[in-house]
Amino acid sequence: MGKESACRDVKLLSVDPCGPEGAAHGCYLLELENPGLEPAVAGQFVMVRPERFGQNPVWPRPFSICRLTSATLTLFVQACGRGTDILCGLAAGDRVTVWGPLGQGFALAPQTPTVMLAGGVGIAPFVEYAATHPVPSNLSLVFGHRQPLSCYPFDALAEIVGRAEAFCEKSPEDLPAFIELLDRTVAAAAAGLILACGPRPFLLTVARLARKYSARAQVSLENRMACGVGGCLGCVEKNTLGAYVQTCTEGPVFWVEELALAEDA
């Protein structure tokens, strides 16, 4: 961690389902005391380890900064395993160790039309991006999801950005239509800036389309991390030079042309 990073035990202020259906689908907003984080760049992340982890799980969990103010840090968490199940089951007042901000965030080009492409929990960093963008009317969002739309902080984004569109993938048969939407979006936005965050197959598709249309694009990887500070080498990604780079320190945000992302890899 650099001088700008902080590692502190803080109090969890609230754990609330995201929307009326959030609890049923494991989608929560966790608000914590700001652990002394310096102003962060949207796309950076924090490592989180609650006291309730005890000795199992051992490793902390990484989360994109969803929203950061001088007083609070908000995370969007979907319960999908032992660690996130525990996190979403915490109560106000529980103690949590947080360190960050970590990694590299998204590029900012205030006067350039910027398209945010998000898949599932990949919507989280774009809440901070839109909230801190100098010209949010230059932003647009295309969001792919499987759970009900109210389970995600989509409305908060839609109220800020110039245009927002959501696509619900209810079955595998919907996937070609979503890829076609991404294709049209990247083609139309190729002269601007494209930012993407979501599951790996989604990012591979975005990378392929960015190359197809020679678009200026960044992707935020969701590689597994154990330490977040470059010590464990568990999150490496192959770059275009054939070497491996650490997602936690050199990412999680990369320019598409930096990485050897391929859908058949």
Side-chain angles (χ1 to χ4, degrees), residues 108-112 114 128-139:
L108 180 64
Q111 304 307 319
T112 300
T114 301
E128 176 72 5
Y129 192 86
T132 57
H133 196 280
V135 192
S137 59
N138 278 341
L139 301 177

Side-chain angles (χ1 to χ4, degrees), residues 203-214:
L203 297 180
L204 295 178
T205 297
V206 172
R208 174 177 59 81
L209 294 173
R211 291 191 291 264
K212 176 181 177 180
Y213 294 108
S214 300

Side-chain angles (χ1 to χ4, degrees), residues 5 12 18 21 30 42 49 67 89 91 105 127 139 142 159 165 208 217 233 242 245 259 262 265:
S5 299
L12 180 64
C18 190
E21 300 177 272
L30 277 63
R49 193 179 195 283
R67 189 71 183 96
V127 176
L139 301 177
V142 174
E159 292 175 358
E165 181 175 359
R208 174 177 59 81
L233 302 179
V245 294
L259 299 177

Side-chain angles (χ1 to χ4, degrees), residues 6-225:
C7 179
R8 295 183 184 174
D9 291 336
V10 299
K11 182 170 65 176
L12 180 64
L13 301 176
S14 64
V15 182
D16 296 312
C18 190
E21 300 177 272
H25 296 277
C27 296
Y28 290 84
L29 290 169
L30 277 63
E31 186 176 83
L32 303 99
E33 294 175 323
N34 185 335
L37 273 62
E38 297 290 336
V41 177
Q44 289 185 297
F45 67 98
V46 293
M47 300 297 291
V48 175
R49 193 179 195 283
E51 285 185 351
R52 198 177 294 183
F53 272 15
Q55 295 182 346
N56 184 21
V58 174
W59 301 110
R61 298 296 189 265
F63 294 97
S64 294
I65 295 171
C66 184
R67 189 71 183 96
L68 180 68
T69 71
S70 59
T72 62
L73 166 66
T74 302
L75 307 176
F76 176 60
V77 180
Q78 184 171 17
C80 57
R82 177 167 172 75
T84 49
D85 285 349
I86 293 173
L87 279 164
C88 293
L90 297 178
D94 285 346
R95 305 299 296 184
V96 180
T97 301
V98 179
W99 56 99
L102 302 170
Q104 310 300 317
F106 286 114
L108 180 64
Q111 304 307 319
T112 300
T114 301
V115 175
M116 302 177 295
L117 303 177
V121 295
I123 195 172
F126 294 127
V127 176
E128 176 72 5
Y129 192 86
T132 57
H133 196 280
V135 192
S137 59
N138 278 341
L139 301 177
S140 60
L141 169 69
V142 174
F143 176 49
H145 61 102
R146 291 179 178 172
Q147 310 303 340
L149 187 59
S150 65
C151 294
Y152 304 92
F154 176 82
D155 287 345
L157 271 168
E159 292 175 358
I160 299 173
V161 303
R163 182 180 65 86
E165 181 175 359
F167 184 99
C168 184
E169 185 184 338
K170 298 179 180 179
S171 70
E173 288 72 28
D174 294 326
L175 184 58
F178 182 51
I179 293 176
E180 176 58 28
L181 172 60
L182 292 176
D183 191 297
R184 294 195 307 270
T185 301
V186 174
L193 177 62
I194 297 170
L195 311 175
C197 184
R200 191 174 185 86
F202 171 79
L203 297 180
L204 295 178
T205 297
V206 172
R208 174 177 59 81
L209 294 173
R211 291 191 291 264
K212 176 181 177 180
Y213 294 108
S214 300
R216 187 167 174 253
Q218 289 184 317
V219 294
S220 178
L221 303 182
E222 293 186 342
N223 293 19
R224 289 183 177 273
M225 298 180 190

